[in-house]
Amino acid sequence: MKKQFCGLLYDTGFVHCPDPDHDEANHNSANTKLIKAVLCAGLYPNVAKIVQTRPDRPPKLYDQDTKVKFHPKSVNSDETTFDNKFVIYHTKVKSTAVFLHDTSMILPSPSSSSEETSLSRETETNRSLLSTSGSSSRLPTALPC
Protein backbone atom coordinates (compact mmCIF):
# COMPACT_ATOMS: atom_id res chain seq x y z
CA MET A 1 0.00 0.00 0.00
CA LYS A 2 2.88 2.35 0.84
CA LYS A 3 4.49 1.70 -2.56
CA GLN A 4 1.18 2.21 -4.35
CA PHE A 5 0.57 5.52 -2.55
CA CYS A 6 4.11 6.73 -3.26
CA GLY A 7 3.66 5.73 -6.92
CA LEU A 8 0.51 7.86 -7.10
CA LEU A 9 2.33 10.80 -5.50
CA TYR A 10 5.16 10.34 -7.99
CA ASP A 11 2.76 10.20 -10.95
CA THR A 12 1.14 13.48 -9.90
CA GLY A 13 4.48 15.21 -9.31
CA PHE A 14 4.35 15.53 -5.52
CA VAL A 15 7.56 13.53 -5.06
CA HIS A 16 10.51 13.10 -7.40
CA CYS A 17 11.16 9.42 -6.70
CA PRO A 18 8.69 6.49 -6.71
CA ASP A 19 10.60 4.75 -3.88
CA PRO A 20 8.73 5.28 -0.56
CA ASP A 21 11.94 4.68 1.43
CA HIS A 22 13.85 7.47 -0.33
CA ASP A 23 14.89 10.35 1.97
CA GLU A 24 13.04 12.95 -0.11
CA ALA A 25 9.75 11.04 0.21
CA ASN A 26 10.09 11.13 4.01
CA HIS A 27 11.37 14.63 4.73
CA ASN A 28 8.02 15.60 6.36
CA SER A 29 7.58 12.34 8.29
CA ALA A 30 8.41 14.01 11.63
CA ASN A 31 6.05 16.94 11.01
CA THR A 32 3.01 15.69 12.97
CA LYS A 33 1.04 18.90 12.38
CA LEU A 34 1.32 18.44 8.62
CA ILE A 35 0.46 14.75 8.83
CA LYS A 36 -2.65 15.52 10.92
CA ALA A 37 -3.66 18.27 8.48
CA VAL A 38 -3.39 15.84 5.57
CA LEU A 39 -5.38 13.20 7.46
CA CYS A 40 -8.03 15.73 8.39
CA ALA A 41 -8.36 16.94 4.81
CA GLY A 42 -8.51 13.38 3.52
CA LEU A 43 -11.09 12.26 6.07
CA TYR A 44 -13.29 15.39 5.95
CA PRO A 45 -16.25 15.35 6.71
CA ASN A 46 -15.53 12.47 9.14
CA VAL A 47 -15.28 14.80 12.12
CA ALA A 48 -16.92 14.17 15.48
CA LYS A 49 -17.37 16.64 18.32
CA ILE A 50 -16.28 15.76 21.86
CA VAL A 51 -18.55 16.95 24.67
CA GLN A 52 -16.81 16.62 28.02
CA THR A 53 -19.39 16.23 30.79
CA ARG A 54 -17.28 15.06 33.74
CA PRO A 55 -13.50 14.65 33.93
CA ASP A 56 -13.77 11.19 35.48
CA ARG A 57 -16.07 9.81 32.76
CA PRO A 58 -15.61 9.16 29.06
CA PRO A 59 -16.79 12.09 26.93
CA LYS A 60 -19.89 12.08 24.77
CA LEU A 61 -19.24 12.09 21.03
CA TYR A 62 -21.49 13.41 18.28
CA ASP A 63 -21.22 12.96 14.54
CA GLN A 64 -23.76 15.42 13.16
CA ASP A 65 -26.88 14.65 15.25
CA THR A 66 -25.89 11.06 16.00
CA LYS A 67 -24.43 10.06 19.36
CA VAL A 68 -21.41 7.84 18.72
CA LYS A 69 -18.73 6.10 20.79
CA PHE A 70 -15.09 5.20 20.40
CA HIS A 71 -14.74 1.55 19.49
CA PRO A 72 -13.82 -0.43 22.65
CA LYS A 73 -10.51 -1.52 21.05
CA SER A 74 -9.61 2.08 20.18
CA VAL A 75 -6.70 3.70 22.00
CA ASN A 76 -9.06 6.61 22.73
CA SER A 77 -11.78 4.48 24.33
CA ASP A 78 -10.22 4.63 27.80
CA GLU A 79 -9.42 8.35 27.68
CA THR A 80 -11.51 10.56 29.94
CA THR A 81 -10.07 13.99 29.08
CA PHE A 82 -9.18 15.54 25.75
CA ASP A 83 -7.27 18.73 25.01
CA ASN A 84 -9.49 19.61 22.07
CA LYS A 85 -13.10 19.22 21.03
CA PHE A 86 -12.78 17.34 17.74
CA VAL A 87 -11.64 13.97 16.41
CA ILE A 88 -11.43 12.63 12.90
CA TYR A 89 -12.28 9.03 12.15
CA HIS A 90 -11.93 6.61 9.28
CA THR A 91 -15.09 4.53 9.60
CA LYS A 92 -18.33 4.50 11.54
CA VAL A 93 -19.90 1.10 12.25
CA LYS A 94 -23.25 0.33 13.84
CA SER A 95 -23.52 -2.81 15.99
CA THR A 96 -24.64 -2.61 19.62
CA ALA A 97 -23.96 1.15 19.29
CA VAL A 98 -22.50 3.41 16.62
CA PHE A 99 -18.71 3.12 16.94
CA LEU A 100 -15.92 5.23 15.46
CA HIS A 101 -12.85 3.38 14.22
CA ASP A 102 -9.36 4.79 13.69
CA THR A 103 -9.77 8.08 15.54
CA SER A 104 -7.30 10.90 16.04
CA MET A 105 -7.72 14.15 17.95
CA ILE A 106 -7.34 17.26 15.80
CA LEU A 107 -7.10 20.99 16.17
CA PRO A 108 -9.56 22.97 14.04
CA SER A 109 -6.70 25.19 12.85
CA PRO A 110 -2.94 25.25 13.50
CA SER A 111 -3.13 28.37 15.69
CA SER A 112 -6.17 27.40 17.75
CA SER A 113 -4.59 25.40 20.57
CA SER A 114 -5.15 28.21 23.07
CA GLU A 115 -8.29 29.70 21.51
CA GLU A 116 -11.93 28.94 22.20
CA THR A 117 -13.48 26.85 19.43
CA SER A 118 -17.13 27.09 18.55
CA LEU A 119 -19.66 25.97 15.98
CA SER A 120 -21.98 28.38 14.28
CA ARG A 121 -24.70 28.04 11.67
CA GLU A 122 -24.77 30.18 8.53
CA THR A 123 -28.45 30.84 7.99
CA GLU A 124 -28.15 31.71 4.30
CA THR A 125 -26.46 28.45 3.33
CA ASN A 126 -27.73 26.31 6.26
CA ARG A 127 -24.29 24.80 6.91
CA SER A 128 -22.20 24.43 10.04
CA LEU A 129 -18.95 26.35 10.39
CA LEU A 130 -16.07 25.75 12.77
CA SER A 131 -14.49 28.96 14.03
CA THR A 132 -12.12 30.12 16.73
CA SER A 133 -12.33 33.25 18.84
CA GLY A 134 -10.03 36.02 17.71
CA SER A 135 -9.81 34.57 14.20
CA SER A 136 -11.63 35.40 11.02
CA SER A 137 -11.06 31.91 9.59
CA ARG A 138 -14.03 29.57 9.47
CA LEU A 139 -13.99 25.95 8.34
CA PRO A 140 -17.07 24.21 6.95
CA THR A 141 -17.99 21.09 8.87
CA ALA A 142 -20.63 18.38 8.94
CA LEU A 143 -21.19 18.90 12.67
CA PRO A 144 -24.49 20.17 14.05
CA CYS A 145 -24.81 23.53 15.78
Side-chain angles (χ1 to χ4, degrees):
M1 186 185 238
K2 181 169 72 168
K3 287 182 181 181
Q4 181 183 11
F5 182 63
C6 192
L8 292 171
L9 291 175
Y10 176 74
D11 291 343
T12 57
F14 281 103
V15 294
H16 299 291
C17 179
D19 179 14
D21 295 322
H22 191 268
D23 287 341
E24 182 188 309
N26 292 300
H27 74 274
N28 283 313
S29 62
N31 188 345
T32 56
K33 288 183 180 182
L34 177 64
I35 292 169
K36 284 186 177 187
V38 169
L39 284 172
C40 187
L43 292 173
Y44 175 83
N46 293 358
V47 180
K49 182 177 181 180
I50 300 170
V51 178
Q52 194 75 45
T53 53
R54 290 178 40 186
D56 59 331
R57 297 224 173 167
K60 294 181 181 179
L61 295 169
Y62 294 93
D63 177 38
Q64 296 185 8
D65 293 331
T66 307
K67 186 174 179 183
V68 295
K69 297 179 178 182
F70 290 119
H71 189 272
K73 297 287 184 184
S74 169
V75 295
N76 289 321
S77 66
D78 293 330
E79 293 294 321
T80 56
T81 58
F82 290 87
D83 294 335
N84 299 298
K85 296 181 181 181
F86 301 96
V87 293
I88 54 172
Y89 62 91
H90 183 252
T91 56
K92 181 169 55 172
V93 177
K94 184 174 182 178
S95 57
T96 56
V98 180
F99 293 107
L100 302 182
H101 292 247
D102 304 323
T103 61
S104 182
M105 186 177 55
I106 58 165
L107 294 173
S109 70
S111 63
S112 67
S113 60
S114 62
E115 298 174 353
E116 181 61 31
T117 306
S118 64
L119 287 170
S120 62
R121 166 100 37 209
E122 251 187 22
T123 54
E124 295 171 10
T125 59
N126 197 30
R127 65 179 180 165
S128 298
L129 295 172
L130 186 64
S131 62
T132 58
S133 64
S135 172
S136 60
S137 63
R138 299 181 310 170
L139 303 170
T141 179
L143 297 171
C145 289

